[in-house]
Short mmCIF file of all heavy atoms in Angstrom, two decimals:
data_model
loop_
_atom_site.label_atom_id
_atom_site.label_comp_id
_atom_site.label_asym_id
_atom_site.label_seq_id
_atom_site.Cartn_x
_atom_site.Cartn_y
_atom_site.Cartn_z
N LEU A 306 -30.69 33.31 -17.74
CA LEU A 306 -31.06 32.06 -17.08
C LEU A 306 -31.80 32.34 -15.78
O LEU A 306 -31.50 33.31 -15.08
CB LEU A 306 -29.81 31.23 -16.77
CG LEU A 306 -29.00 30.72 -17.97
CD1 LEU A 306 -27.73 30.06 -17.46
CD2 LEU A 306 -29.80 29.74 -18.79
N LYS A 327 -8.23 17.95 -6.23
CA LYS A 327 -7.93 16.53 -6.09
C LYS A 327 -9.19 15.80 -5.66
O LYS A 327 -10.11 16.40 -5.12
CB LYS A 327 -6.79 16.27 -5.11
CG LYS A 327 -7.08 16.64 -3.68
CD LYS A 327 -5.89 16.31 -2.81
CE LYS A 327 -6.22 16.55 -1.36
NZ LYS A 327 -5.15 16.18 -0.49
N PHE A 343 -3.59 -11.24 8.63
CA PHE A 343 -4.18 -11.99 7.51
C PHE A 343 -3.57 -11.52 6.20
O PHE A 343 -3.23 -12.32 5.34
CB PHE A 343 -5.70 -11.79 7.47
CG PHE A 343 -6.38 -12.54 6.36
CD1 PHE A 343 -6.71 -13.87 6.53
CD2 PHE A 343 -6.68 -11.92 5.17
CE1 PHE A 343 -7.32 -14.58 5.51
CE2 PHE A 343 -7.29 -12.61 4.14
CZ PHE A 343 -7.62 -13.95 4.31
N VAL A 368 3.95 -4.42 6.79
CA VAL A 368 2.86 -3.69 7.43
C VAL A 368 1.62 -4.56 7.47
O VAL A 368 1.22 -5.12 6.44
CB VAL A 368 2.55 -2.38 6.67
CG1 VAL A 368 1.43 -1.61 7.35
CG2 VAL A 368 3.79 -1.53 6.55
N ASP A 370 -2.29 -5.25 7.51
CA ASP A 370 -3.39 -4.56 6.85
C ASP A 370 -4.41 -4.01 7.84
O ASP A 370 -4.97 -2.95 7.63
CB ASP A 370 -4.07 -5.51 5.86
CG ASP A 370 -4.98 -4.80 4.90
OD1 ASP A 370 -4.58 -3.74 4.39
OD2 ASP A 370 -6.09 -5.31 4.65
N ALA A 390 14.55 -15.32 4.79
CA ALA A 390 14.73 -15.63 6.22
C ALA A 390 14.11 -14.55 7.09
O ALA A 390 13.47 -14.85 8.11
CB ALA A 390 16.22 -15.76 6.52
N ALA A 391 14.25 -13.29 6.70
CA ALA A 391 13.66 -12.20 7.47
C ALA A 391 12.13 -12.27 7.42
O ALA A 391 11.46 -12.06 8.43
CB ALA A 391 14.14 -10.85 6.93
N ILE A 395 9.42 -12.88 10.61
CA ILE A 395 8.28 -11.99 10.87
C ILE A 395 6.99 -12.79 10.88
O ILE A 395 6.13 -12.60 11.73
CB ILE A 395 8.23 -10.86 9.83
CG1 ILE A 395 9.36 -9.87 10.10
CG2 ILE A 395 6.88 -10.14 9.87
CD1 ILE A 395 9.54 -8.82 9.06
N ALA A 400 2.62 -14.91 14.72
CA ALA A 400 1.74 -16.01 15.09
C ALA A 400 1.82 -16.32 16.59
O ALA A 400 1.02 -17.08 17.10
CB ALA A 400 2.09 -17.24 14.29
N ARG A 407 -0.88 -17.48 10.30
CA ARG A 407 -2.23 -17.03 10.00
C ARG A 407 -2.28 -16.19 8.74
O ARG A 407 -3.33 -15.87 8.24
CB ARG A 407 -2.78 -16.21 11.16
CG ARG A 407 -2.99 -17.05 12.40
CD ARG A 407 -3.49 -16.18 13.49
NE ARG A 407 -2.38 -15.36 13.96
CZ ARG A 407 -2.47 -14.46 14.90
NH1 ARG A 407 -3.60 -14.21 15.46
NH2 ARG A 407 -1.42 -13.77 15.28
N THR A 408 -1.15 -15.79 8.23
CA THR A 408 -1.10 -14.93 7.06
C THR A 408 -1.58 -15.71 5.84
O THR A 408 -1.12 -16.81 5.57
CB THR A 408 0.34 -14.42 6.83
OG1 THR A 408 0.76 -13.75 8.00
CG2 THR A 408 0.40 -13.50 5.65
N ILE A 433 0.52 -19.37 1.48
CA ILE A 433 0.23 -17.93 1.43
C ILE A 433 0.18 -17.48 -0.02
O ILE A 433 1.07 -17.80 -0.81
CB ILE A 433 1.31 -17.13 2.20
CG1 ILE A 433 1.31 -17.55 3.66
CG2 ILE A 433 1.07 -15.63 2.06
CD1 ILE A 433 2.46 -16.96 4.46
N HIS A 435 0.57 -14.85 -2.96
CA HIS A 435 1.42 -13.70 -3.19
C HIS A 435 0.75 -12.78 -4.20
O HIS A 435 0.53 -13.15 -5.35
CB HIS A 435 2.78 -14.17 -3.73
CG HIS A 435 3.79 -13.08 -3.78
ND1 HIS A 435 5.04 -13.27 -4.32
CD2 HIS A 435 3.78 -11.78 -3.36
CE1 HIS A 435 5.73 -12.13 -4.24
NE2 HIS A 435 4.98 -11.24 -3.66
N LYS A 437 1.06 -9.29 -6.29
CA LYS A 437 2.09 -8.35 -6.72
C LYS A 437 1.42 -7.08 -7.25
O LYS A 437 0.43 -7.14 -7.94
CB LYS A 437 2.94 -8.97 -7.81
CG LYS A 437 3.65 -10.22 -7.36
CD LYS A 437 4.24 -10.94 -8.55
CE LYS A 437 4.34 -12.41 -8.32
NZ LYS A 437 3.14 -13.16 -8.49
#
Side-chain angles (χ1 to χ4, degrees):
L306 296 173
K327 66 179 185 177
F343 181 84
V368 181
D370 194 43
I395 288 172
R407 293 179 286 178
T408 303
I433 298 172
H435 189 185
K437 300 168 208 80

